[in-house]
Structures are given as structure tokens and as C-alpha cells.
């Protein structure tokens, strides 16, 4: 089992497995300026493949905890080890405090702030362009060097689950999580609605009573919120139509299969959405089961890579983190080979042991950490989402 | 012979590892006890087959835990899914 990977050193915190310059619109109103600037840089050959834009659809008409959560997601995505530096693009009148976003990012890495209302469209693009070009030039000088795997944090995700997920691919991910935890690294599981019916099994592994209580409270909070807001039975959302066609009948059944991703490691704590992991170990983060948002929460929490199991098949990735797609469904391996990174159908067929598959997946994970692209990256999937917990004004 | 996987000894359903037709004899694997059950209807791969009679109102067990309640009397060998199995936690009681 490899104990090292090749990463990019950062001035503060863990090393990255990628090296991006990130353009962050603090509100949807400045998203167009951000994407146009990126397009211009790409066309001029100035991006060197290192520039990304956070596809932020929010940032205004929000208050309270919900506004804080959106703000935290923007800041902590920029603080992910895979990001070299960021250019924050504000409109100038939005609910999100853009100065604060830039200030907090600036405590750990290079950052610049451009307000569209200060310059207009064309001059804003010019200023963002110059800042990004400067950062790309500096970031390009960095070379990968060797780090211990204990510097890795992985997100554990499932999406488009079916009957194969709980039987093979989730337990497989749980093995790899356990291997990394044992080597001193960290992992995050999320998707709290997919703990309903299985939370008691997970809570037993909490390191103390407080964490146990936090786990049970997180599930209870989410379940009560869903019942209050949805006013109808969960079937159709949890489980989804694809889950149902694929053999999963109830949320309890889905959850019992989903928690297998967490392996056996003790649970060190419960994180808010997009809250950064502080100490090493295994954590639960409060996110929806909604794939792009749950992955985004964990990446903002510090995950440099994500292990993502699927049954029905889904191509999603994340804008600044490699998402490794794993399935044990033979049909999905065949038909959707162009976005599956690891096929474990042979484990289900009894041709490869789960232990061998875990070693193979761990090895692939290290290769991807070292720079091998996931299929989602090759396909240009730049997914990003933010979990809303309040109304839009 | 088609096989179905019983994950835990407490389970009263097993997961079909291939499609079966009505009348197919299915070998139940996964536990030490050797068991065979006849599928009474067509059931798709990955779906659940009842290993015993499950009366309406009683729990269905998979992974050794309750996954919901039978909404109809279920006979050994029947397909267990949305038409006869309902979630407990995922139901919203309309006041």
C-alpha cells in the first residue's frame, strides 16, 4: 500500500493534488463576467488549463444562517488545497460580503478582488484577466513533491445508487476509507437523508457522547425539516426513481447500504455544510443527498479527492477536485465506460475479492492524486453546488 | 440455478443476483444454512424475493435491520418492492 503521493505544497495547510487559479463570483450577477473572462483567457492561451470558475447561482436575497453557509462555501472552496489562488469577482451590492470573502481567503493564499460596479464590464474583465494571468504564471512554477498520505482527505459519495451499491461498491469505498484512516489520513461522509434508518449503527462509532448526540441530532434535524417542508412521503426523492427501478424500495434500505461507504473508523465529529475539517480522522458532514451539493460540501471541507459510487451511472465531478467514479453494475461499466473510472462488477461476479479490489482502488486513488485525470476531468465536468437552508428574497 | 443473496441471518428477503421467471427455483446464498425458494412471479435482478411469508403490518428485514413494513400479506417467493413494502421513516403523517 503506497504511503506517499505527489502533491503541490501550499503556504498553509495540506498539499493539493491539483493546482488551480479560481475565479469566484460572489453572486450570480457577476458570474457572466467571470465566465467571459475565463473564455477570453482560454482563447488567448493564457489559462494553461489551470483556470476554473465557481458556477455560483446564489449570493443575494439571502439572510442569516443560509447567507453564512453560502459565504462559507465560497471561502472554503477557495481554501481547498487544490487551489493556488483566487480572484473574487463581486458585483458590489450583493448580500455576500465580498471583502470578507477576499480577506479570509487572503489569510492562506494569494487573492485579488474586483468589483464590477467599480469598472463596468470590459474594464472588470481586463482587471480580472491581469490578476489571473499573474497567478497562473506563479502557480506554474510549482512542482509536485512527495507527501505522506496522511495529508489526504477524501470525500465519500454515492449517486444514482442501485442494488449493487450497498452490496459491493459502498463497502469497497469503506475499505479504502479505513485504509487511509489507518495511515493517518482523513475521510468525510455526507448525505444526511441517506442515514435515515441506519443512523443508530453509525452513531455507535462516535468517539464520545457529544459526537454521538451530534450525529443523532443532525439526522433528526434534517428528517423533521424534510417532513415539515415536503408535506408528502419521501419516495420519489428518497429513494429516487432510479434507485427504485434499481431495486431499492425504502429510504431505510438505501441508508443501510449507503453507510457502508464510511467503513469502520470512529466518527470524530459532525461538520456543518462546507465547514473545514480541523483534525485528522473520519467525519460526517451535513449535506443533502443531492449529488453535486454533497460533493461540493465535502470539497469545501478540505477533501482533495472524492470516491463516488454509482449504480445507475452519473457523469458528475467537481470543478476543483478529482471525483473517482466507481460502479459494480456490469451494464453501467459497459454502457457508461466513458465516465466510469473503476469497475467492480467482477467482485459481484465472484471473480475478484473485495480485498484485492480495495487495494486496486487505493492504488488508482494515489495515481489520480499524483496527476492522472479522472474521466469526469477529461470530460470537462466542472460541477459546483451550494446547499441552501433558507428562503430566497 | 439462479441465486439470491441473503445478507444477514435475520433477513426475511434476499437480493436476486439475476432475473428470474415464475416457477424458477432460486438458491439462497450468503449464510451457512442452505436454502432454496421458488419464485412465484417474474422478478428482476437486484430486486428482493421473500424468503418466508411476511404478514401485512410486520417488518421486512435486510442487512439485519428493519427496512419498512409490509403493506399487504406477502408470500414466500414473492417480489418485495414498492407495491407491498412501505417505508416507516419516509412517510409523512398528514394531520
Amino acid at each position: 500500500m503506497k504511503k506517499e503521493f505527489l502533491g503541490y505544497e501550499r503556504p498553509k495547510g495540506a498539499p493539493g493534488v491539483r493546482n488551480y487559479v479560481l475565479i469566484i463570483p460572489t453572486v450570480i450577477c457577476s458570474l457572466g463576467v467571470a465566465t467571459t473572462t475565463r473564455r477570453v483567457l482560454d482563447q488567448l492561451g493564457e489559462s494553461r488549463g489551470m483556470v476554473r470558475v465557481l458556477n455560483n447561482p446564489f449570493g443575494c436575497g439571502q439572510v442569516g444562517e443560509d447567507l453564512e453557509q453560502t459565504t462559507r462555501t465560497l471561502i472554503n472552496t477557495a481554501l481547498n488545497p487544490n487551489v493556488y489562488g483566487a480572484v473574487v469577482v463581486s458585483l458590489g451590492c450583493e448580500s455576500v460580503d465580498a471583502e470578507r470573502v477576499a480577506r479570509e481567503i487572503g489569510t492562506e493564499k494569494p487573492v485579488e478582488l474586483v468589483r464590477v460596479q467599480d469598472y463596468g464590464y470590459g474594464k472588470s474583465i481586463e482587471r480580472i484577466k491581469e490578476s489571473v494571468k499573474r497567478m497562473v504564471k506563479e502557480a506554474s512554477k510549482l512542482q509536485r513533491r512527495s507527501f505522506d498520505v496522511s495529508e489526504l482527505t477524501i470525500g465519500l459519495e454515492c449517486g444514482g445508487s442501485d442494488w449493487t451499491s450497498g452490496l459491493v461498491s459502498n463497502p469497497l469505498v469503506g475499505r479504502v476509507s479505513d485504509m487511509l484512516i489507518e495511515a493517518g489520513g482523513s475521510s468525510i461522509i455526507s448525505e444526511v437523508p441517506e442515514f435515515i434508518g441506519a443512523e443508530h449503527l453509525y452513531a455507535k462509532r462516535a468517539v464520545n457522547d457529544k459526537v454521538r448526540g451530534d450525529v443523532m441530532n443532525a439526522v433528526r434535524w434534517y428528517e423533521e425539516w424534510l417532513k415539515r417542508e415536503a408535506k408528502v412521503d419521501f419516495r420519489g426523492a428518497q429513494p429516487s426513481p432510479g434507485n427504485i427501478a434499481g431495486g431499492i424500495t425504502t429510504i431505510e434500505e438505501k441508508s443501510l447500504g449507503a453507510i457502508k461507504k464510511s467503513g469502520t473508523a470512529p466518527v470524530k465529529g459532525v461538520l456543518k455544510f462546507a465547514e473545514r475539517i480541523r483534525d485528522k480522522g473520519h467525519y460526517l458532514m451535513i449535506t443533502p443527498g443531492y449529488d453535486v451539493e454533497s460533493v461540493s460540501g465535502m470539497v469545501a471541507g478540505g477533501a482533495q479527492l472524492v470516491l463516488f459510487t454509482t449504480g445507475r451511472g452519473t457523469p458528475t465531478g467537481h470543478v476543483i477536485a478529482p471525483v473517482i467514479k466507481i460502479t459494480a453494475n456490469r451494464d453501467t461499466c459497459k454502457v457508461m465506460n466513458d465516465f466510469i473510472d473503476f469497475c467492480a462488477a467482477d467482485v459481484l461476479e465472484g471473480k475478484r475479492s473485495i480485498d484485492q479490489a480495495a487495494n486496486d482502488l487505493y492504488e488508482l486513488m494515489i495515481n489520480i492524486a499524483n496527476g492522472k485525470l479522472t474521466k469526469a476531468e477529461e470530460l470537462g465536468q466542472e460541477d459546483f453546488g451550494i446547499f441552501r437552508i433558507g428562503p430566497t428574497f | 440455478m439462479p441465486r439470491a443473496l441473503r445478507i444477514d441471518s435475520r433477513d426475511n428477503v434476499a437480493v436476486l443476483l439475476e432475473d428470474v421467471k415464475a416457477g424458477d427455483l432460486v438458491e439462497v446464498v450468503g449464510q451457512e444454512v442452505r436454502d432454496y425458494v421458488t419464485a412465484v412471479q417474474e422478478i428482476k435482478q437486484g430486486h428482493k424475493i421473500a424468503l418466508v411469508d411476511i404478514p401485512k403490518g410486520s417488518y421486512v428485514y435486510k442487512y439485519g435491520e428493519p427496512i419498512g413494513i409490509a403493506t399487504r400479506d406477502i408470500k414466500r417467493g414473492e417480489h418485495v418492492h414498492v407495491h407491498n413494502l412501505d417505508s416507516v421513516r419516509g412517510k409523512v403523517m398528514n394531520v
Side-chain angles (χ1 to χ4, degrees), chain A residues 64-370:
Chain A
E65 271 298 313
D66 178 55
L67 176 61
E68 179 59 28
Q69 183 146 295
T70 291
T71 306
R72 181 171 64 239
T73 308
L74 298 175
I75 295 168
N76 288 349
T77 303
L79 293 180
N80 182 287
N82 294 345
V83 175
Y84 167 84
V87 179
V88 178
V89 181
S90 164
L91 174 59
C93 53
E94 65 268 26
S95 303
V96 167
D97 180 349
E99 270 79 20
R100 172 193 162 194
V101 170
R103 190 171 57 244
E104 292 199 23
I105 295 170
T107 61
E108 292 194 22
K109 45 186 82 177
V111 70
E112 313 239 6
L113 170 62
V114 176
R115 287 172 80 250
V116 176
Q117 285 173 346
D118 287 347
Y119 302 108
Y121 209 92
K123 290 210 176 78
S124 293
I125 290 178
E126 277 310 306
R127 297 189 79 97
I128 300 163
K129 217 176 77 175
E130 289 314 306
S131 296
V132 172
K133 269 173 67 175
R134 261 197 308 277
M135 287 191 198
V136 167
K137 186 152 169 263
E138 290 308 304
S140 298
K141 294 178 185 164
L142 291 177
Q143 302 275 29
R144 290 179 185 267
R145 70 159 180 85
S146 189
F147 288 93
D148 193 85
V149 294
S150 59
E151 298 279 8
L152 284 178
T153 300
I154 56 174
L156 311 169
E157 173 77 18
C158 57
S161 295
D162 70 0
W163 65 285
T164 65
S165 307
L167 290 186
V168 171
S169 34
N170 289 347
L172 181 59
V173 162
R175 296 279 178 109
V176 175
S177 173
D178 282 349
M179 288 163 74
L180 183 61
I181 299 288
E182 204 164 305
S186 304
S187 65
I188 308 173
I189 191 171
S190 60
E191 306 180 89
V192 166
E194 294 167 31
F195 278 75
I196 294 171
E199 71 271 39
H200 55 294
L201 300 173
Y202 185 76
K204 271 197 249 195
R205 290 159 42 197
V207 292
N208 57 44
D209 286 339
K210 178 186 184 302
V211 174
R212 185 172 312 119
D214 289 344
V215 170
M216 299 303 283
N217 287 337
V219 176
R220 183 176 308 121
W221 168 80
Y222 211 125
E223 191 176 348
E224 286 175 3
W225 180 48
L226 289 175
K227 289 188 165 153
R228 227 173 23 246
E229 295 295 320
K231 304 180 179 67
V232 295
D233 293 349
F234 294 176
R235 183 172 280 160
Q238 288 289 11
S240 68
N243 297 149
I244 292 168
I248 299 174
T249 312
T250 67
I251 182 59
E252 295 95 320
E253 180 179 9
K254 183 171 177 177
S255 298
L256 289 161
I259 64 162
K260 305 276 182 206
K261 303 190 302 291
S262 70
T264 63
V267 181
K268 291 201 67 179
V270 176
L271 302 165
K272 288 194 282 216
F273 184 87
E275 181 184 349
R276 296 172 83 191
I277 189 173
R278 302 254 172 249
D279 302 313
K280 300 200 196 288
H282 173 77
Y283 293 82
L284 170 65
M285 180 181 282
I286 300 174
T287 81
Y290 196 55
D291 298 343
V292 171
E293 284 177 16
S294 47
V295 168
S296 295
M298 294 188 289
V299 172
Q304 294 114 320
L305 319 102
V306 176
L307 298 180
F308 188 137
T309 71
T310 185
R312 310 292 285 175
T314 167
T316 62
H318 188 277
V319 60
I320 57 135
V323 174
I324 302 169
K325 210 58 68 54
I326 300 143
T327 185
N329 182 310
R330 179 56 75 189
D331 292 330
T332 305
C333 290
K334 273 208 292 255
V335 172
M336 289 169 249
N337 176 62
D338 48 8
F339 56 77
I340 297 296
D341 296 292
F342 190 90
C343 179
D346 56 349
V347 176
L348 195 51
E349 291 153 3
K351 298 188 198 127
R352 177 169 46 160
S353 73
I354 194 163
D355 288 323
Q356 183 57 55
N359 287 336
D360 295 339
L361 178 55
Y362 181 95
E363 174 127 4
L364 174 65
M365 181 180 79
I366 299 298
N367 289 340
I368 286 171
N370 292 347

Side-chain angles (χ1 to χ4, degrees), chain A residues 163 166-167 196-197 199-201 223 227 231-235 244-245 247-253 256-257, chain B residues 5 7 15-17 45-48 62-63 65-67 80-82 85-92 94:
Chain A
W163 65 285
L167 290 186
I196 294 171
E199 71 271 39
H200 55 294
L201 300 173
E223 191 176 348
K227 289 188 165 153
K231 304 180 179 67
V232 295
D233 293 349
F234 294 176
R235 183 172 280 160
I244 292 168
I248 299 174
T249 312
T250 67
I251 182 59
E252 295 95 320
E253 180 179 9
L256 289 161
Chain B
L5 178 65
I7 297 164
V15 179
L16 280 158
L17 298 177
Q45 180 192 42
H47 286 231
K48 296 177 286 299
K62 185 181 169 187
Y63 302 101
E65 298 282 324
I67 62 167
V80 179
H81 203 28
V82 292
L85 169 58
D86 233 354
S87 173
V88 171
R89 301 284 294 279
K91 291 210 78 66
V92 174
N94 285 307

